Amino acid sequence: MTGDIYTRRGDTGETSLVGGARVRKDCSRVTAYGTVDELSSQVGLALASLPSLGAETRLLDDALEFSQQRLFNCSSNLATPMDPPSESTPTVTAADTAALERWIDVMSIRVGGFPGFVLPGGCETSARLHVARTVARRAEREILTLASTEPVDTQILAFVNRLSDLLFTAARYANIVADSTEVLWDPKAEPPKA
């Protein structure tokens, strides 16, 4: 008898989708929802590094916690073959994406316009949010790969795309809240003098 965590069913490189179908762990569906899971973990890491600075960090906290909740919906949906789709399958909605847009708008008031390409860094939270942003972009690409061969809920694509925008804005916002310097890309930057 095995424990609750290990079943030994994946030892040959296969896993079960919602509904019981067995697939290889490197198939595009598993890759897509696995990257969404990685994205949620990166958002959680950024949350764990968030200092407690009152209402300004509460805004980040709320946006990131909500994003993690919906990312689990995305993973669950992607782990469920949509032929035929089930009404009980968790998903995201246009209203969820609109909520991300509202957070982006609020944070943008504080960070101002797009200054140019921003180098990831500044405070730790900002750097972690930039890492999460890059994972969001990879997740989006992998969801698109899956969508080229199997049905995928288009709301998931919209949500992950907007989430990458939120994470970029949140990274800039975190630097402002932490009073950290934001460094812009300078293609002609000179090396430091020895």
Side-chain angles (χ1 to χ4, degrees):
M1 179 162 177
T2 62
D4 291 338
I5 297 298
Y6 60 92
T7 64
R8 299 188 177 115
R9 294 189 66 219
D11 291 354
T12 60
E14 289 190 343
T15 191
S16 295
L17 299 176
V18 174
R22 299 285 291 170
V23 295
R24 287 175 50 103
K25 291 182 179 182
D26 62 355
C27 78
S28 58
R29 182 172 295 281
V30 176
T31 298
Y33 73 70
T35 304
V36 171
D37 184 34
E38 181 185 350
L39 171 55
S40 179
S41 296
Q42 291 291 351
V43 171
L45 202 54
L47 265 167
S49 72
L50 191 62
S52 181
L53 299 173
E56 290 184 309
T57 51
R58 186 73 224 164
L59 175 70
L60 280 172
D61 198 47
D62 290 346
L64 297 176
E65 284 183 9
F66 174 80
S67 297
Q68 278 192 299
Q69 293 291 340
R70 289 303 181 267
L71 284 171
F72 260 75
N73 286 18
C74 291
S75 290
S76 179
N77 188 284
L78 291 167
T80 306
M82 289 184 59
D83 194 19
S86 168
E87 289 188 18
S88 64
T89 303
T91 191
V92 293
T93 66
D96 295 329
T97 302
L100 299 184
E101 290 171 353
R102 286 191 299 277
W103 274 306
I104 292 168
D105 292 343
V106 169
M107 289 181 210
S108 291
I109 292 168
R110 183 77 190 273
V111 299
F114 184 66
F117 289 99
V118 177
L119 297 183
C123 71
E124 180 181 353
T125 300
S126 178
R128 291 184 184 281
L129 288 166
H130 277 294
V131 171
R133 172 187 56 78
T134 65
V135 176
R137 291 295 190 199
R138 178 160 39 92
E140 185 179 11
R141 292 189 300 271
E142 290 172 356
I143 294 166
L144 275 171
T145 298
L146 173 62
S148 70
T149 60
E150 299 184 50
V152 171
D153 184 344
T154 57
Q155 291 297 330
I156 290 174
L157 273 171
F159 182 84
V160 174
N161 181 47
R162 204 70 76 256
L163 179 56
S164 67
D165 297 332
L166 172 69
L167 293 168
F168 174 77
T169 308
R172 295 191 64 216
Y173 182 84
N175 271 336
I176 287 174
V177 169
D179 199 25
S180 289
T181 302
E182 185 171 69
V183 179
L184 300 182
W185 173 46
D186 177 2
K188 297 180 181 179
E190 295 289 332
K193 291 184 172 46

